[in-house]
């Protein structure tokens, strides 16, 4: 395994933005991961674990440490009973290829997560979700290398701290574990998840087949923003997280919207809400961005995507990380000013100073 110096990171991200990493290597085995960690420890370097770079914004200066790209490969069925299968997938496998493999074999559960770019390891980090499904409902356990105890550990689903776009891997234990394998449980019994509006409308009460659901999800996604390979403009998917409000906060918001934008807008916003368990309301951040007139906002080479305003795109192909951060800061600030709500960012921000991050207040 080569450990390279000053490697540009932009090509390793779907945004196609960012400066170089001081050190960079790609590990295909646990031994190589340990070698890389020893290298970093000897030089007291911070380590950043990279998958497919699809949830990442790298600063224009780059990263003064070691980027360790995980290329562990392999996927197999390890167990089956009358209702389901258990799969062991390596963290470096491409997630959508695993979804396609599962759908092809008639295993239900992952199809709504079709065309989410990136690696398998990262689906547990971010607890990825789309169209009414979440990784946390598929992941039985996560096999990790614990950099603190320097040992292999199996973390069961209940200990992963899964919540909306959250797990222990991106919060309380951030940076501690390197994910090596996931054990996924999928169903042999037809179990389409059609609660999401677009899917419900498409199938109108009939039960679709597994391939049909995958195709429908891909079609809907492509109409909003395509998979990175096909995308004209670089991006990192949703740049802002949706909001979860309690009933009082939600009622206050509707009054505010009515006062600022008129009753019609409050009714329009209300139609876009989702139930979020325990009586809470989930509001698409895209609807708030649109309401505040920020759709199509630009800064430098970066732009809010018209069809899906949750996404910031590298419109010119030459956008800098500081363009993106500036644009995001403006969105955060206007939404706060007009609606009193704080939008949180979804991607991981690498190599920025605390000062640079002030505008988006993470
Ligand atoms: C067009 C597009 C559409 C998207 N749609 C969705 C969507 O519908 N739903 C959704 O939830 N997300 C979506 N995303 C975001 C992104 O695809 C997911 O977050 C994905 O899981 C990131 O995977 P990655 O391998 O690219 O991770 P990276 O961007 O490389 O890394 C993300 C984080 O995971 C950590 N990480 C990666 N691998 C490991 C590992 N092996 N061990 C420990 N930590 C690791 C990194 O350190 C980093 O903190 C989309 C992105 C794009 C570009």
């Amino acid at each position: 395994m080569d450990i390279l110096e000053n490697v540009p990171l932009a090509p390793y991200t779907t945004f196609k933005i960012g400066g170089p990493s001081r050190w960079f290597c790609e590990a295909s085995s646990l031994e190589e991961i340990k070698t890389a960690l020893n290298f970093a420890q000897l030089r007291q370097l911070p380590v950043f674990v990279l998958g497919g770079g699809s949830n990442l914004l790298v600063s224009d200066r780059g990263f003064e440490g070691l980027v360790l790209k995980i290329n562990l490969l392999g996927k197999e069925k390890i167990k089956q009973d009358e209702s389901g299968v258990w799969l062991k997938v390596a963290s470096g496998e491409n997630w959508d290829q695993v979804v396609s493999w599962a759908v092809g074999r008639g295993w239900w559960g992952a199809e709504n997560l079709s065309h989410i770019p990136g690696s398998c390891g990262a689906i547990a980090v971010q607890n990825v979700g789309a169209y009414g499904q979440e990784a946390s409902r598929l992941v039985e356990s996560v096999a990790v290398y614990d950099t603190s105890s320097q040992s292999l550990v199996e973390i069961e689903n209940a200990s992963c701290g899964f919540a909306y776009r959250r797990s222990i891997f991106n919060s309380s234990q951030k940076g501690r574990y390197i994910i090596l394998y996931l054990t996924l449980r999928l169903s042999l019994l037809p179990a389409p998840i059609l609660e999401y509006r677009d899917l419900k409308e498409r199938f109108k009460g009939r039960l679709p087949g597994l391939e049909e659901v995958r195709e429908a999800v891909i079609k809907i996604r492509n109409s909003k923003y395509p998979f990175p390979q096909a995308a004209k403009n670089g991006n990192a998917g949703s740049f802002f997280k949706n909001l979860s409000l309690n009933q009082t906060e939600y009622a206050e918001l509707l009054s505010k919207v009515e006062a600022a934008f008129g009753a019609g807008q409050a009714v329009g916003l209300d139609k876009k809400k989702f139930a979020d368990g325990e009586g809470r309301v989930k509001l698409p951040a895209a609807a708030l961005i649109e309401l505040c007139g920020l759709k199509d906002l630009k800064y430098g080479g970066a732009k809010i995507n018209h069809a899906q305003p949750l996404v910031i795109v590298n419109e010119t192909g030459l956008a800098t990380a500081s363009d993106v951060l500036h644009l995001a800061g403006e969105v955060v600030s206007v939404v706060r000013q007009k609606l009193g709500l704080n939008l949180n960012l979804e991607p991981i921000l690498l190599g920025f100073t605390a000062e640079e991050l002030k505008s988006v207040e993470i």
Side-chain angles (χ1 to χ4, degrees), residues 14 48-56 70 91 115-119 121-123 125-130 165 177-180 221 225-228 235-238 346 348:
T14 54
F48 180 78
V49 177
L50 178 68
S54 63
N55 197 36
L56 183 62
I70 304 293
S91 55
H115 266 204
I116 295 183
S119 62
I123 71 151
V125 175
Q126 161 93 346
N127 183 18
V128 299
R165 300 295 179 274
Y177 297 120
I178 297 181
I179 297 175
L180 306 174
R221 293 186 72 100
Y225 51 95
F227 212 38
N235 68 78
S238 303
E346 202 165 301
I348 304 296

Side-chain angles (χ1 to χ4, degrees), residues 99 103 107-114 133 191-193 210 213-214 217:
V99 177
V103 167
W107 302 329
W108 289 82
E111 59 284 357
N112 289 39
L113 304 180
S114 289
Q133 182 60 305
I193 299 167
L210 191 43
V213 179
R214 175 165 161 85
V217 167

Side-chain angles (χ1 to χ4, degrees), residues 153-165:
V153 181
E154 186 86 16
I155 304 175
E156 298 301 320
N157 177 300
S159 303
C160 288
F162 286 130
Y164 171 64
R165 300 295 179 274

Side-chain angles (χ1 to χ4, degrees), residues 124-143:
V125 175
Q126 161 93 346
N127 183 18
V128 299
Y131 302 97
Q133 182 60 305
E134 261 186 4
S136 60
R137 294 203 218 145
L138 308 176
V139 174
E140 277 244 324
S141 63
V142 182

